[in-house]
Amino acid sequence: MKVPETILRRIFVAEDGCHLWLGGISDKGYGKVTLSRKPWRVHRLMWHLVGNDLPDYAPGGLQLDHVCLNTSCCNPAHLQVVDQRENMARAAALRTHCAKGHELSDDNTRTHRG
């Protein structure tokens, strides 16, 4: 399926290969757009437009993960379908500070295995 020109005009291709969305951004940093009266997160739209099946938003289900760690990136090559547990584990492995700004270390952090 062809990507509409109105979408392409809002994408900047960075040197690292990220396709950065220059349009509206959600409060969590995801690109957002309305196409044919349907709201989309741009990375999901681009994944769909290049012919990939979309995972649903079911709790615990499959999700699109930004391998590049940039939520405003909509390059399908930077996305990977993973289950929610894997997505959360990847995010946790990168976390260096808690929500209140305290640095996380082995001395002050407990890990619970489910």
Side-chain angles (χ1 to χ4, degrees):
M1 185 180 293
K2 186 176 178 188
V3 180
E5 185 61 35
T6 57
I7 301 294
L8 291 175
R9 284 193 304 246
R10 295 182 190 155
I11 296 172
F12 172 77
V13 179
E15 288 183 25
D16 61 3
C18 283
H19 295 180
L20 304 176
W21 180 247
L22 303 177
I25 300 287
S26 75
D27 58 344
K28 295 192 178 191
Y30 295 95
K32 60 183 185 175
V33 67
T34 300
L35 185 63
S36 300
R37 297 185 183 184
K38 180 180 178 180
W40 287 89
R41 285 194 172 175
V42 178
H43 67 288
R44 289 179 58 83
L45 174 63
M46 297 302 285
W47 181 262
H48 173 69
L49 289 176
V50 299
N52 296 310
D53 290 331
L54 281 170
D56 60 17
Y57 279 129
L62 297 176
Q63 303 174 345
L64 284 179
D65 183 26
H66 288 85
V67 179
C68 62
L69 309 177
N70 187 340
T71 56
S72 69
C73 178
C74 59
N75 182 351
H78 287 196
L79 300 171
Q80 185 177 37
V81 177
V82 297
D83 63 32
Q84 183 180 20
R85 186 177 193 155
E86 176 66 18
N87 200 355
M88 300 286 284
R90 289 177 178 185
L94 298 169
R95 195 172 300 125
T96 59
H97 290 74
C98 78
K100 295 186 178 185
H102 302 110
E103 185 173 5
L104 299 176
S105 69
D106 290 339
D107 295 333
N108 69 5
T109 307
R110 281 185 258 174
T111 304
H112 298 277
R113 304 262 181 228

